[in-house]
Structures are given as structure tokens and as C-alpha cells.
């Protein structure tokens, strides 16, 4: 018998990772803490999404875009040489192979389609490293919408390539010069801008954060990862379902989408955070960007600046549903260091011929550590979402290796 003491058994009853309770609540988290005009705008988005998600026409149009534009379904790749070395059977869900190189495209194609259906002509987005901004600019170009992307001035300096890609795609990139001039400030600025533009613009949030319906809507738009992987595991694994399902967690969208496909199975869910951005592991209850969740704060309740080598994990909190899954004991959240992530990236490159995004390398770093210290029992089957490719990180890696 394997040691399962870290998870409370049995798996919680049906409804986990279903629709949130009234007013977008996941347990004590979530909600819609926004100025009045945005509460109304969020209500409209919620209504339009609920209706669209129940409409086979909308679902079909999105499925087609995901197939012909974004390259879905993505493969499930057995990591053969690495599995042998680790003594577990590791399978990679390859979101790095989607168009634009990460899972973010799944969400933005859905929201862009929704925006067009709502008669909006422009997408507003925030971006940190630029991945969500590039995905938004891509979806906007594809559907003939405008895109305005808010980005911290410091991130603009650090991510010149993605800034150029957004402009090449026709998006306007607006530098944010307040406070730390990074993602948290870009998000605040994008929300402020939306207040004056709700009539013609849709705010396209990049993760399972923000006011209701975003945490729920973005998880539903990302569940294509978990649903595909569930089917692929059923075909590939004798047991049908992996013992462990692992994904990295920034705001938590690739993890939420992956977990959603396995919430009703006995699979153990593991979210891997950056040591310096560990909202689920070390955050405290608070409200930020319209949502009640766990955030990194000082003793005065001020949000503190996260630090991670992976820009996509540099968010000071975590989505409300993850906070709830943690409380339920349905998912477990762990942290890895920058050094462990870099080591894991190099190891994947040299054993499997895949250069992962540094975000995804965090998930792998936990698998490697846990296989070594027995936290992952020998012979376990492990599904890990490889959220993106590493091209964007080459300049960071070049300085270290
Ligand atoms: C943005 C990003 C993440 C983190 O976002 P989540 O919402 O936590 O998924 C992880 N990996 C990659 C490649 C990203 O671009």
C-alpha cells in the first residue's frame, strides 16, 4: 500500500471543480470585489459565458479554432529516459507545442470569441513576461479585434522580444510606471482602464484570478488540457488514470485546467509553486484584483513583491479555487527553488530533447526531487503538464549555464 497520508481520503464528493457557489465563491475564496461599474461588467461577462459555454455552436467554433489555429490536441509524450532514471513513469502533456508556445492560447481564443459574440471590438489585457500579451494580440489579430496590453515598465525592458511580437501583431503596448512596474501593477492599471471602457472592450485576464467569473471561466477554458490528457491516459495507461497529476502554479490556470480533467478520479493533484511566489503554500487571506484569496503580504497586509526566475510564476497570490482545493485537502501545494528549476530544465533538455519554459521546469523539479526522496513512490505513474516552451528563457539561462 502506498503512503497516501498527505491527502485526506476519500476524494471529496462530486462538485469539486464544478461551478462555483453563488457570487463566484470557492469555499471562503473568490467573489467579485470591484468598483460598481466593473461589478456590472463582470456580471455581463458571466452571463455571456454561461450562455456560450452551454451552446454547442460556441463550443464547436472554439474547438475548431483550437484545432486549426492553435494545433490541438497536443500530444502526451512518455518521458522514457528520464522515467527510467527516476524510477517512475512520467508522461508530459505538451502545451509547449501549441501555437505561441504555451497554454495561454487556450484561454485567450475562448475569451476573444466571447468578446466578439458580446459585440466588443477591443481586448484589454495585462502581461508580465509577455506570454499572455502575445497570446491576446494573436487572438485579437485572428478575430479582427483591437488589443491594448498593459505591461510594467521593468518588464518591458526585460522582455524586448515579446514586446516586439505584440507590436508586430498589431497590439498597443502601454507601459505602466506605477509602484514596482511589474505584473501586479499592470493588472491594477488594466482594471482601472476597463472601468472607462466597459462598453466596447472586454478585459481578457490571463489566469484563474480576478473577480468572478474569471477564475471559473479561465479554468473552464483551460480544462481542454485535462480533458484531453484524461482521454490520452485512458488509452496509454493500464490503470487508465495516473497516480499523480502535477502542474506548475503561478495564478494557477494550467494547473486548474489540468486538475479539472481528473478532479473526479483518485489521482493525487500536486501544484508546484516558485519558492519566491508561493501564494498557495505561504500566502495569507486577502483581497487583490477583485478577488478574495491567498496572497503574499507583510504584517501590515501590504502585498509583497514576489521573486522567481520564471516570470510567469511571479504573481503574489494564487487563484481562489486553488486556495479552496488546498483547504479541502484535494490538492497539495509544494515549492521549488530557482536552482532546482534550472537544473530540471537542463535535465529535460538532455534526456528528452525538450527545452521547457522555466515555469514548467518547476513542476518537473518537484517530480525529480519527490522521486528521489520517496515522496513519489517507485513505479508511480505521473502526468505532468509542460505548460510552455523555453525559447523565451534562453537569455536568462545563458547567463547561468
Ligand atoms: C503564464 C505561464 C505560467 C503560469 O500561469 P498559470 O496561470 O499558473 O498557468 C506557466 N507556464 C507558462 C509557460 C506560462 O507562460
Amino acid at each position: 500500500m502506498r503512503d497516501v497520508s498527505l491527502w485526506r481520503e476519500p476524494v471529496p464528493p462530486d462538485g469539486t471543480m464544478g461551478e462555483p457557489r453563488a457570487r463566484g465563491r470557492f469555499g471562503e475564496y473568490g467573489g467579485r470585489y470591484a468598483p460598481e461599474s466593473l461589478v456590472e461588467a463582470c456580471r455581463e461577462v458571466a452571463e455571456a459565458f454561461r450562455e456560450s459555454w452551454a451552446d454547442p455552436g460556441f463550443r464547436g467554433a472554439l474547438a475548431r479554432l483550437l484545432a486549426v489555429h492553435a494545433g490541438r490536441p497536443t500530444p502526451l509524450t512518455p518521458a522514457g529516459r528520464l522515467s527510467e532514471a527516476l524510477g517512475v513513469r512520467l508522461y508530459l502533456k505538451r502545451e509547449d507545442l501549441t501555437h505561441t508556445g504555451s497554454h495561454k492560447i487556450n484561454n485567450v481564443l475562448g475569451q476573444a470569441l466571447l468578446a466578439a459574440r458580446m459585440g466588443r471590438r477591443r481586448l484589454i489585457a495585462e502581461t508580465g513576461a509577455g506570454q499572455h500579451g502575445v497570446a491576446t494580440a494573436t487572438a485579437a489579430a485572428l478575430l479582427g479585434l483591437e488589443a491594448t496590453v498593459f505591461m510594467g515598465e521593468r518588464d518591458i525592458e526585460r522582455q524586448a522580444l515579446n514586446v516586439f511580437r505584440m507590436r508586430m501583431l498589431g497590439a498597443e503596448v502601454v507601459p505602466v510606471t506605477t509602484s514596482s512596474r511589474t505584473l501586479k501593477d499592470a493588472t491594477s492599471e488594466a482594471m482601472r482602464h476597463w472601468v472607462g471602457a466597459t462598453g466596447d472592450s472586454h478585459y481578457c485576464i490571463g489566469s484563474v484570478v480576478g473577480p468572478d467569473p474569471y477564475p471559473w471561466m479561465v479554468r473552464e477554458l483551460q480544462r481542454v488540457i485535462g480533458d484531453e490528457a484524461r482521454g490520452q491516459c485512458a488509452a496509454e495507461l493500464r490503470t487508465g488514470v495516473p497516480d499523480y497529476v502535477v502542474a506548475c502554479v503561478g495564478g494557477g490556470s494550467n494547473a486548474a485546467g489540468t486538475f479539472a480533467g481528473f478532479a473526479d478520479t483518485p489521482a493525487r493533484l500536486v501544484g508546484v509553486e516558485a519558492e519566491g511566489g508561493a501564494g498557495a503554500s505561504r500566502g495569507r487571506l486577502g483581497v487583490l484584483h477583485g478577488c478574495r484569496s491567498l496572497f503574499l503580504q507583510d504584517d501590515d497586509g501590504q502585498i509583497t513583491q514576489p521573486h522567481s526566475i520564471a516570470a510567469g510564476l511571479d504573481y503574489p497570490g494564487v487563484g481562489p479555487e486553488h486556495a479552496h482545493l488546498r483547504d479541502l485537502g484535494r490538492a497539495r501545494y509544494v515549492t521549488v527553488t530557482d536552482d532546482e528549476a534550472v537544473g530540471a530544465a537542463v535535465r529535460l533538455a538532455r534526456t528528452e530533447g525538450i527545452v521547457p519554459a522555466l515555469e514548467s521546469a518547476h513542476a518537473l523539479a518537484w517530480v525529480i526531487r519527490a522521486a528521489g526522496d520517496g515522496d513519489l513512490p517507485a513505479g508511480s505513474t505521473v502526468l505532468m503538464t509542460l505548460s510552455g516552451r523555453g525559447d523565451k528563457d534562453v537569455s536568462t539561462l545563458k547567463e547561468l549555464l
Side-chain angles (χ1 to χ4, degrees):
M1 187 62 191
R2 285 181 184 141
D3 175 18
V4 294
S5 56
L6 286 161
W7 280 264
R8 277 173 235 153
E9 302 284 348
V11 169
D14 291 347
T16 308
M17 304 205 83
E19 266 203 48
R21 292 190 295 118
R23 301 188 310 282
R25 295 284 174 179
F26 301 94
E28 61 172 313
Y29 309 101
R32 202 181 272 167
Y33 296 86
E36 211 167 315
S37 57
L38 288 194
V39 168
E40 177 54 26
C42 288
R43 208 188 48 71
E44 280 176 38
V45 173
E47 203 166 288
F49 179 69
R50 180 167 285 110
E51 186 194 305
S52 301
W53 209 229
D55 172 7
F58 180 87
R59 298 282 281 249
L62 178 57
R64 181 167 165 79
L65 277 187
L66 288 170
V68 302
H69 190 76
R72 302 208 75 88
T74 59
L76 184 73
T77 304
R81 299 212 310 128
L82 190 54
S83 292
E84 199 164 309
L86 297 177
V88 298
R89 284 170 58 208
L90 175 62
Y91 294 84
L92 306 172
K93 180 60 176 161
R94 301 290 306 279
E95 296 304 295
D96 60 315
L97 294 179
T98 58
H99 179 49
T100 71
S102 86
H103 67 290
K104 297 227 163 60
I105 194 77
N106 305 324
N107 169 40
V108 298
L109 283 177
Q111 287 198 51
L113 212 53
L114 183 72
R117 185 165 155 137
M118 293 175 74
R120 306 292 189 252
R121 57 171 187 82
R122 187 168 66 120
L123 299 178
I124 299 168
E126 78 295 333
T127 196
Q131 294 299 103
H132 175 59
V134 168
T136 302
T138 298
L142 180 70
L143 297 182
L145 302 169
E146 292 170 31
T148 306
V149 181
F150 290 84
M151 188 169 186
E153 207 173 37
R154 271 189 62 205
D155 289 331
I156 288 182
E157 286 160 19
R158 292 188 289 190
Q159 306 288 343
L161 178 63
N162 276 342
V163 174
F164 175 75
R165 286 168 80 194
M166 287 184 263
R167 292 188 169 138
M168 173 91 192
L169 290 158
E172 181 192 8
V173 180
V174 181
V176 174
T177 56
T178 47
S179 187
S180 62
R181 295 173 293 140
T182 58
L183 176 60
K184 168 172 73 72
D185 315 296
T187 307
S188 304
E189 203 53 41
M191 289 185 82
R192 208 166 296 141
H193 180 77
W194 193 32
V195 171
T198 52
D200 71 346
S201 302
H202 172 75
Y203 180 24
C204 181
I205 297 186
S207 190
V208 286
V209 299
D212 176 61
Y214 288 93
W216 167 60
M217 175 169 71
V218 175
R219 179 251 282 165
E220 285 302 290
L221 292 171
Q222 291 291 4
R223 79 178 302 139
V224 65
I225 305 172
D227 287 346
E228 276 179 15
R230 176 84 175 263
Q232 290 166 321
C233 286
E236 186 83 16
L237 303 179
R238 194 176 38 78
T239 50
V241 174
D243 298 320
Y244 293 82
V245 173
V246 185
C248 66
V249 174
S253 68
N254 86 89
T258 306
F259 292 176
F262 296 89
D264 64 344
T265 77
R268 282 153 182 77
L269 311 177
V270 183
V272 185
E273 299 189 291
E275 182 71 34
S281 306
R282 278 199 266 295
R284 285 189 279 163
L285 192 60
V287 172
L288 181 69
H289 299 143
C291 169
R292 183 177 168 153
S293 192
L294 299 172
F295 299 98
L296 301 175
Q297 306 169 51
D298 64 19
D299 288 338
D300 295 328
Q302 291 296 311
I303 302 295
T304 56
Q305 182 65 22
H307 290 286
S308 170
I309 195 169
L313 305 186
D314 237 348
Y315 188 73
V318 70
E321 190 166 31
H322 286 293
H324 182 51
L325 291 173
R326 187 200 71 160
D327 285 2
L328 287 174
R330 179 65 189 94
R332 177 183 163 205
Y333 296 85
V334 296
T335 64
V336 307
T337 64
D338 285 357
D339 286 350
E340 287 178 296
V342 170
V346 173
R347 190 143 179 210
L348 190 70
R350 295 183 185 171
T351 54
E352 305 297 329
I354 299 168
V355 177
L358 282 172
E359 291 84 358
S360 326
H362 282 70
L364 183 66
W366 180 79
V367 172
I368 292 171
R369 189 213 294 156
D373 68 16
D375 206 356
L376 263 179
S380 303
T381 49
V382 181
L383 168 73
M384 191 201 104
T385 295
L386 195 75
S387 55
R389 64 177 184 230
D391 305 41
K392 68 183 177 60
D393 297 316
V394 289
S395 60
T396 305
L397 288 167
K398 216 165 71 186
E399 284 176 17
L400 296 170
L401 302 176

